[in-house]
Amino acid sequence: MYGWTPEIFGTKVWGTAYGIALALLRTYIFLGGMIAPMLGGMLLMISRSPLLYASTVVFVFMGFCVLM
């Protein structure tokens, strides 16, 4: 966050952009931290293969986002 926001946003809006990005990041981490154990538990009750496929899709998506 500290390295990216000064390069992407101009000096006049850097503080606001950083604050918004940090707030969204914390919200997604909070929600993901609540949803992941429940979703993982439900998928494990069904079978192990859906959990493996779901994890693979998430990791491929994250890798794609990093490369963009």
Side-chain angles (χ1 to χ4, degrees):
M1 293 290 291
Y2 287 114
W4 257 50
T5 49
E7 293 179 12
I8 295 175
F9 301 104
T11 307
K12 292 182 180 182
V13 296
W14 180 82
T16 304
Y18 176 72
I20 292 171
L22 190 63
L24 290 173
L25 177 69
R26 288 183 180 172
T27 302
Y28 290 132
I29 289 174
F30 176 72
L31 291 176
M34 289 189 327
I35 293 172
M38 292 186 288
L39 183 63
M42 289 183 343
L43 289 175
L44 274 175
M45 284 192 289
I46 296 170
S47 175
R48 287 193 177 167
S49 59
L51 185 59
L52 178 65
Y53 293 134
S55 298
T56 304
V57 168
V58 169
F59 286 129
V60 167
F61 178 72
M62 289 188 307
F64 180 74
C65 288
V66 167
L67 293 175
M68 295 305 288

